[in-house]
Amino acid sequence: MPSWRASARIAAAAALCVIGPLAAAQFETRSATTLTHPACDVAAADFNKDGKQDLAIALDSQSIAVTLGNGDGTFQKPTVYQAGSSVEWLATGVLTSSGNADIVVADGSANALSIFLGNGDGTFQPPTLIRTPQDPGFVIIGDFNGDHIPDLAVADSSFISPYITILLGNGDGTFGTPINIKPPYLAYAFAAGDFDHSGTLDLAVNAYKDATSYLEILLGKGNGTFTQGEEFTFDAPVGIPAVADFRGNGELDIAVPEGGAVQVLLGNGNGTFAAPVTYTTTPIFTGTVVLADFNGDGRQDILAVGAIPGGIRSGGVSLLLGNGDGTFQAPIFFPATTQACYAAIADFNGDSKPDLAITDDGTTPQFVTLLNTGVATFSPTTPIAFPDQFIGTTSAPHSVSLTNDGTTSLSISSITATNPYGVTSTCGKDVAPGASCDLNLTFSPATQGTFAGTISITDSASTKPQVIEVSGSGTIVTLTPASLTFGPQQLGTASPPQHIQLTNTGTIPMTVNKVSVHGDNWTSFDATDNCPSSLDAGASCTITVEYKPVLGSGAQTANVYVTDSGGGSPQIATLSGTATK
């Protein structure tokens, strides 16, 4: 059985109209929003009809989160709605004549869908339940019988009795008798599109049988039932397919995530497809794909979402720009979250460029918003994190390069920073095509604590300011030295002790909560301390570290963590040594 979690959405309708100069399509982190539980599926819609895109997020619990957009790439505090016993997937769309955006939730443990009808103000009515033959793991919204009323397609991927269920809509948020299709495989998920120009939606199904992953093509009959079409096999478990016209010829094509690659199947227009062509996304392990024209050239691009196996803060997206002929360029990687799971595509800041909201289903429950920067590209692309800085002092400058990737001059009208950050630049009022300039950022904390801020650049690349996220902590704590290196040490013996001095440089006492060792080889280092729970202003205490390797040989590392009230907690000192036999 595939080990991946179902985590991609049909993206045929996700392409946005992009205006302005062509760009390489770069994304900058705009905000990170904390969630109560890890999350995967996320969908964008305007739930309160204010012209700003909002989000619905499926949480790894019995609930969904709805967060309203502020129109600048940031979002309000999420509202949580209970949604059954095990939320697996959700879909958004307009199910009634009210024009309000609604939410459909697949409950993987209750043999049911939960229908949340929107009130049009960002709130929802209590859910109604629709029973399904087995535990649904995936759902999409589409018109499967050609009556222009939204229907539902559901994947019930039970090993005991798998089903594909079609629920034909009545136009009022209710649905007719389920059409239960029992295929000879497990159907995990699907994407919909009219592959044979019949005027009826067909399905590309992510299937599994006999220890093999398949893509099954089901051709719609126009009444909610299907005939079996082509079948494609894959060597590795695949994710959920996405559908778009990659060649601009009116024929729908399919992108399928498979391990560290994306498989592209070009449609023949009659319900059949050419053999898959492989595009690597390595080093990113691709769990899902979404599709849109990200650089405004009128060609569909592929965005692969996933993580680098074994990495730290290694999740993100690989962008494969389309050439317009069904082929794609080498991937460009943009980091985002530790365990990037899925991305919703929408214009979150009102500049008519497609942006991303990426969920994290790892140990840090959150979603991260990445804004499309157009022709103004920045290096580095990740949020800028300053080292801890003593209060009342200014950090060394941190340089960020701005490049004009467009074909005309980039006009800059202002560059500003939020307190306690500062910025100077070499950009002037215009940046020539292909030219670069530098933004020099500084951090000047006046008080203890962690500070999030932004550098905003108002330019002709967008109708809205470009934003660089910055963060840093003001502190009164010093660890001297900030690292300890131990010489070769025989297994089972202890090194001479080394010492780290912790000092409160502030004017009032601070609390020392805990001194501990963490890291891959934490058992090889022993730390003790004489630090009181309250360390007076100007006072110091000592952390004593011994290196006692007990397992393995070669280089070993760990860290001393000090949690305290001095700002920037935890304070970290690195430890290294070499174990010998």
Side-chain angles (χ1 to χ4, degrees):
M1 176 179 179
S3 61
W4 55 269
R5 175 187 175 184
S7 52
R9 174 182 310 279
I10 177 167
L16 297 180
C17 177
V18 181
I19 60 175
L22 301 186
Q26 179 180 294
F27 299 96
E28 281 289 328
T29 300
R30 177 62 183 92
S31 65
T33 302
T34 301
L35 297 168
T36 57
H37 293 80
C40 188
D41 185 27
V42 56
D46 184 2
F47 294 123
N48 60 348
K49 295 184 175 180
D50 64 352
K52 302 170 184 176
Q53 288 292 305
D54 312 310
L55 294 173
I57 304 167
L59 302 180
D60 282 355
S61 66
Q62 301 173 0
S63 59
I64 61 173
V66 174
T67 177
L68 301 180
N70 295 317
D72 61 355
T74 66
F75 291 83
Q76 300 174 29
K77 182 179 179 180
T79 299
V80 176
Y81 293 85
Q82 293 303 115
S85 57
S86 178
V87 173
E88 294 293 332
W89 200 255
L90 59 76
T92 59
V94 177
L95 301 178
T96 73
S97 59
S98 69
N100 300 335
D102 309 307
I103 302 173
V104 182
V105 178
D107 187 338
S109 296
N111 290 30
L113 300 175
S114 295
I115 310 295
F116 289 83
L117 296 181
N119 294 317
D121 59 359
T123 66
F124 294 84
Q125 300 174 30
T128 57
L129 296 183
I130 299 177
R131 295 297 175 183
T132 57
Q134 294 292 332
D135 297 331
F138 188 83
V139 59
I140 60 173
I141 299 172
D143 179 8
F144 294 101
N145 63 346
D147 64 357
H148 306 291
I149 296 174
D151 310 314
L152 305 178
V154 186
D156 299 324
S157 53
S158 167
F159 271 103
I160 299 173
S161 184
Y163 282 90
I164 295 174
T165 296
I166 305 298
L167 292 157
L168 300 180
N170 297 318
D172 59 358
T174 66
F175 296 84
T177 302
I179 301 172
N180 296 318
I181 303 166
K182 200 172 187 326
Y185 47 77
L186 295 176
Y188 282 105
F190 25 69
D194 184 3
F195 303 138
D196 57 0
H197 294 285
S198 66
T200 298
L201 283 180
D202 311 309
L203 291 176
V205 183
N206 169 14
Y208 183 78
K209 65 179 178 180
D210 301 327
T212 302
S213 291
Y214 292 84
L215 182 72
E216 302 280 349
I217 304 300
L218 299 183
L219 300 178
K221 295 181 179 180
N223 60 359
T225 65
F226 300 84
T227 58
Q228 179 67 47
E230 285 189 303
E231 178 180 271
F232 298 88
T233 61
F234 296 93
D235 295 331
V238 300
I240 301 162
V243 173
D245 179 1
F246 293 140
R247 294 163 291 175
N249 63 352
E251 312 295 353
L252 288 180
D253 311 306
I254 305 174
V256 182
E258 182 200 23
V262 175
Q263 302 286 351
V264 173
L265 294 80
L266 299 181
N268 297 317
N270 60 358
T272 67
F273 293 83
V277 176
T278 303
Y279 293 88
T280 181
T281 58
T282 306
I284 185 173
F285 179 86
T286 302
T288 65
V289 293
V290 290
L291 311 177
D293 176 11
F294 291 105
N295 64 341
D297 63 356
R299 303 165 181 171
Q300 288 289 305
D301 309 311
I302 298 175
L303 194 81
V305 186
I308 301 171
I312 299 175
R313 190 177 168 80
S314 57
V317 295
S318 280
L319 175 63
L320 290 76
L321 294 175
N323 295 318
D325 58 359
T327 66
F328 294 84
Q329 301 175 28
I332 307 167
F333 181 69
F334 298 99
T337 67
T338 304
Q339 292 294 326
C341 193
Y342 189 65
I345 304 171
D347 178 10
F348 294 121
N349 65 339
D351 66 352
S352 299
K353 294 180 174 63
D355 308 310
L356 306 172
I358 300 175
T359 51
D360 188 334
D361 69 346
T363 57
T364 304
Q366 64 175 337
F367 71 90
V368 176
T369 309
L370 272 65
L371 297 183
N372 192 331
T373 64
V375 299
T377 62
F378 301 91
S379 179
T381 60
T382 56
I384 305 301
F386 283 86
D388 292 352
Q389 187 70 28
F390 287 123
I391 62 174
T393 66
T394 297
S395 70
H398 194 302
S399 182
V400 175
S401 175
L402 183 157
T403 301
N404 177 7
D405 281 335
T407 57
T408 60
S409 180
L410 176 68
S411 299
I412 297 178
S413 54
S414 69
I415 301 176
T416 58
T418 57
N419 189 53
Y421 298 94
V423 59
T424 60
S425 90
T426 62
C427 298
K429 293 184 177 181
D430 294 283
V431 181
S436 298
C437 58
D438 292 325
L439 309 176
N440 296 305
L441 321 181
T442 55
F443 175 42
S444 305
T447 58
Q448 295 167 233
T450 300
F451 302 92
T454 58
I455 311 298
S456 297
I457 303 99
T458 303
D459 55 46
S460 58
S462 172
T463 59
K464 299 295 178 69
Q466 311 287 347
V467 176
I468 300 173
E469 293 278 324
V470 288
S471 64
S473 294
T475 186
I476 59 173
V477 184
T478 62
L479 292 181
T480 309
S483 63
L484 297 178
T485 301
F486 294 85
Q489 191 67 36
Q490 187 175 0
L491 288 172
T493 66
S495 71
Q498 294 192 46
H499 306 284
I500 298 172
Q501 183 171 280
L502 186 155
T503 302
N504 175 2
T505 67
T507 58
I508 59 174
M510 76 174 204
T511 300
V512 179
N513 299 310
K514 186 178 182 180
V515 177
S516 56
V517 177
H518 300 275
D520 291 340
N521 308 115
W522 68 273
T523 58
S524 295
F525 297 89
D526 183 36
T528 59
D529 68 272
N530 64 356
C531 298
S533 59
S534 180
L535 187 63
D536 291 337
S540 299
C541 61
T542 301
I543 302 169
T544 300
V545 181
E546 290 183 318
Y547 180 41
K548 300 177 180 180
V550 292
L551 293 172
S553 61
Q556 297 185 331
T557 60
N559 298 295
V560 169
Y561 282 75
V562 181
T563 55
D564 54 64
S565 65
S569 178
Q571 318 295 334
I572 300 175
T574 60
L575 310 174
S576 61
T578 302
T580 61
K581 296 183 178 180

